[in-house]
Amino acid sequence: MDKFSLPKRIYVGVSNKLIEFNKYPRFRSIIDTRGMDDARDRKDLSDYIRNQDNSICLFAEQFLAAPSNVSELLKRYLTRESRDIDTKVALLVLPRKGEPEDVVNLDGKVEDRDEGIEVRKNQIDDAFARENIQFLRENIFFYDALQFYDEEHILKPQYEKDDVSDARIELLDAINDLISRRERALLQEAKNYEDIFQVIKSGGGLSPQEEKLINDLKKTIESHEKTEFLSNFENRYKNHLKSYHVMVFRAINNRFGTYDLRDIDIYFDGSTVAEVLLRDRLRESKAEIIGAVELVEKHASEQSGLKPVMKILSEQIDEYFEKFIIEIGQEICCCIKDSLAPQTYSNEFWDYAQNRWGQGHGYRDDVLDQYGSQINSLDDWLVERVQEVWKQNFMDRILEFFGES
């Protein structure tokens, strides 16, 4: 429409004819975010996944492509260390006419809709497992809104309107069951901790062998106090920016790093790059600590109460590691923003980034060189900060389990 820009948000009232909200009281609102043009993470998605405990994140993907479009995004969130996220994330796979029947298994084309969907579900589950994505199989749903209609969108003679509504209700029930499973999982987690603490309270003292196990464990943990972390964040970040199409990159620069129309925020991008880097470099050290804890748990006696203590410690190490990764990612986001400040036309960097366009070949590379000049101290800062936070918020908190820090 003339004289109207694209709105940032549209409110739509959903009729009870589509969803009987009295039947689904947990459905308080339905938020349809902008679709994913590619596998890039976005600040709005991150907020729903990590920060909003009362939200369910339902990703929709085409039948043949799933889960390729969401895998890279979910690698960041559905990790071994993440807590209470797998129960809130679901994948809605959208078959088109004939696709389930055309699925091929070991015996050839299945030629049956239900069998094709089951085979495809197994394939998606296997794909998540290969990528070490902790995705719950029961949270993979299938729904074809046009299943009962012909090419002219007219109801096929062998079906009735009740078939259409029944299929929709089946999906809504599945989502409602997901919410119930999440609630039960959170309650069970609390109960498990109660049971563990009861075992600990009733347990006896440590044997000499177990005391040695604990002393060896502390030595193993302390040997990882220094990270020996080497950073190539600056190059990774510039390569990330380079992956944007040149016209998108120009639009980002013209808006001082945040392109709201496409939900692009290059400062937030810094946190995603940093998280991948940190996991790549430090997960091995964390895994060695976990392995040492599991060794103690394996050899502890059933009577001492040491087994449940080690179980709790293992879970806490994962939690401390995840918080450490997220904290550094958030800090790097702020550092990039400070390095490129002020986000105004008076800043020579932004003046160059915006006006270099149209001045001959090499726009993207020249502007990226300027980005490099602005953030050229981040690698040194990151090495120092990672060591500091690793010790304070990871190592010291683990050693507090032994009355040390």
Side-chain angles (χ1 to χ4, degrees):
M1 295 175 62
D2 292 342
K3 300 180 181 179
F4 282 89
S5 61
L6 289 173
K8 289 186 176 181
R9 182 175 299 177
I10 301 173
Y11 292 92
V12 177
V14 180
S15 169
N16 276 319
K17 293 181 180 179
L18 291 176
I19 300 177
E20 294 182 50
F21 286 98
N22 290 333
K23 183 180 177 182
Y24 306 103
R26 295 186 185 93
F27 292 12
R28 297 188 179 178
S29 62
I30 300 170
I31 301 170
D32 185 9
T33 66
R34 189 181 64 81
M36 295 173 60
D37 295 332
D38 51 32
R40 296 181 192 275
D41 201 353
R42 299 204 316 252
K43 193 173 182 179
D44 61 325
L45 298 179
S46 181
D47 184 51
Y48 285 120
I49 295 171
R50 274 188 177 156
N51 302 328
Q52 299 196 28
D53 291 336
N54 63 343
S55 67
I56 296 297
C57 301
L58 186 63
F59 293 91
E61 188 153 11
Q62 293 180 4
F63 185 81
L64 298 178
S68 59
N69 200 36
V70 297
S71 289
E72 281 302 314
L73 173 73
L74 294 181
K75 273 184 189 178
R76 182 185 181 194
Y77 299 103
L78 294 180
T79 65
R80 170 195 160 121
E81 298 84 13
S82 61
R83 298 278 302 272
D84 305 328
I85 291 180
D86 58 346
T87 55
K88 68 180 293 184
V89 175
L91 178 65
L92 177 60
V93 183
L94 306 174
R96 294 179 179 176
K97 284 181 171 43
E99 287 179 339
E101 293 84 349
D102 289 338
V103 168
V104 176
N105 63 10
L106 295 177
D107 299 323
K109 188 184 294 188
V110 298
E111 297 183 349
D112 177 79
R113 178 182 178 81
D114 292 337
E115 185 181 354
I117 286 175
E118 188 62 26
V119 170
R120 194 71 190 91
K121 188 172 187 176
N122 291 334
Q123 293 172 345
I124 293 169
D125 191 36
D126 290 343
F128 282 135
R130 286 194 300 271
E131 297 290 342
N132 293 317
I133 298 171
Q134 309 296 307
F135 200 97
L136 299 178
R137 174 185 169 83
E138 59 265 32
N139 289 358
I140 302 173
F141 308 139
F142 292 81
Y143 178 65
D144 181 0
L146 298 177
Q147 175 185 352
F148 306 103
Y149 295 89
D150 62 20
E151 299 297 333
E152 303 298 324
H153 295 171
I154 297 173
L155 192 66
K156 294 177 181 177
Q158 66 267 39
Y159 297 116
E160 299 178 356
K161 288 185 178 180
D162 284 347
D163 294 311
V164 178
S165 61
D166 287 348
R168 183 169 63 247
I169 289 171
E170 182 179 350
L171 174 62
L172 296 173
D173 285 346
I175 296 171
N176 196 51
D177 289 344
L178 180 153
I179 297 172
S180 297
R181 288 195 300 272
R182 175 168 170 78
E183 291 173 343
R184 289 195 299 269
L186 295 174
L187 290 172
Q188 187 62 47
E189 183 179 328
K191 185 180 184 304
N192 289 344
Y193 274 107
E194 272 186 37
D195 294 344
I196 288 172
F197 284 123
Q198 287 300 320
V199 173
I200 294 170
K201 285 171 65 177
S202 62
L206 300 181
S207 68
Q209 180 189 8
E210 288 172 333
E211 288 183 356
K212 183 179 185 305
L213 286 172
I214 291 297
N215 287 330
D216 291 344
L217 174 59
K218 285 194 289 187
K219 289 177 183 177
T220 300
I221 294 172
E222 289 167 348
S223 70
H224 291 279
E225 188 168 332
K226 292 194 178 299
T227 64
E228 299 183 1
F229 173 76
L230 297 175
S231 175
N232 65 341
F233 172 81
E234 294 171 19
N235 282 333
R236 286 191 180 210
Y237 183 61
K238 286 195 296 181
N239 285 335
H240 176 84
L241 296 178
K242 192 172 184 176
S243 69
Y244 284 113
H245 187 279
V246 65
M247 294 303 294
V248 175
F249 185 53
R250 181 195 178 197
I252 292 168
N253 291 323
N254 287 345
R255 292 160 178 80
F256 306 104
T258 53
Y259 186 9
D260 291 340
L261 183 62
R262 297 283 297 273
D263 290 309
I264 295 173
D265 182 333
I266 65 167
Y267 311 110
F268 172 79
D269 286 354
S271 68
T272 66
V273 173
E275 286 191 19
V276 172
L277 171 62
L278 291 166
R279 291 187 198 280
D280 287 349
R281 299 288 168 85
L282 298 174
R283 183 171 269 160
E284 184 176 344
S285 292
K286 193 270 297 184
E288 289 178 7
I289 295 173
I290 290 284
V293 172
E294 290 174 345
L295 185 66
V296 174
E297 182 182 354
K298 178 181 177 181
H299 290 95
S301 70
E302 298 291 342
Q303 293 75 31
S304 69
L306 189 56
K307 282 184 180 291
V309 170
M310 291 299 101
K311 180 178 178 61
I312 290 175
L313 178 56
S314 180
E315 292 175 355
Q316 288 297 302
I317 289 170
D318 278 338
E319 183 177 341
Y320 296 154
F321 185 80
E322 188 72 3
K323 288 181 177 178
F324 157 75
I325 295 289
I326 293 172
E327 179 178 353
I328 294 295
Q330 291 172 341
E331 290 188 9
I332 204 78
C333 173
C334 295
C335 285
I336 295 173
K337 200 157 195 172
D338 289 343
S339 298
L340 303 181
Q343 279 70 27
T344 64
Y345 296 109
S346 63
N347 185 332
E348 291 183 5
F349 164 76
W350 290 114
D351 179 68
Y352 179 86
Q354 294 171 9
N355 292 313
R356 171 61 182 81
W357 181 263
Q359 304 301 316
H361 179 73
Y363 161 79
R364 179 159 49 191
D365 288 341
D366 289 348
V367 173
L368 285 172
D369 284 344
Q370 291 300 309
Y371 270 95
S373 297
Q374 296 299 119
I375 63 171
N376 65 359
S377 62
L378 282 187
D379 277 335
D380 291 338
W381 174 85
L382 190 56
V383 169
E384 183 178 333
R385 185 59 180 154
V386 163
Q387 180 58 54
E388 182 181 353
V389 179
W390 175 267
K391 183 179 185 309
Q392 290 178 355
N393 294 353
F394 185 65
M395 294 299 301
D396 287 354
R397 295 187 71 181
I398 297 172
L399 291 172
E400 284 175 3
F401 257 76
F402 307 97
E404 301 179 14
S405 62

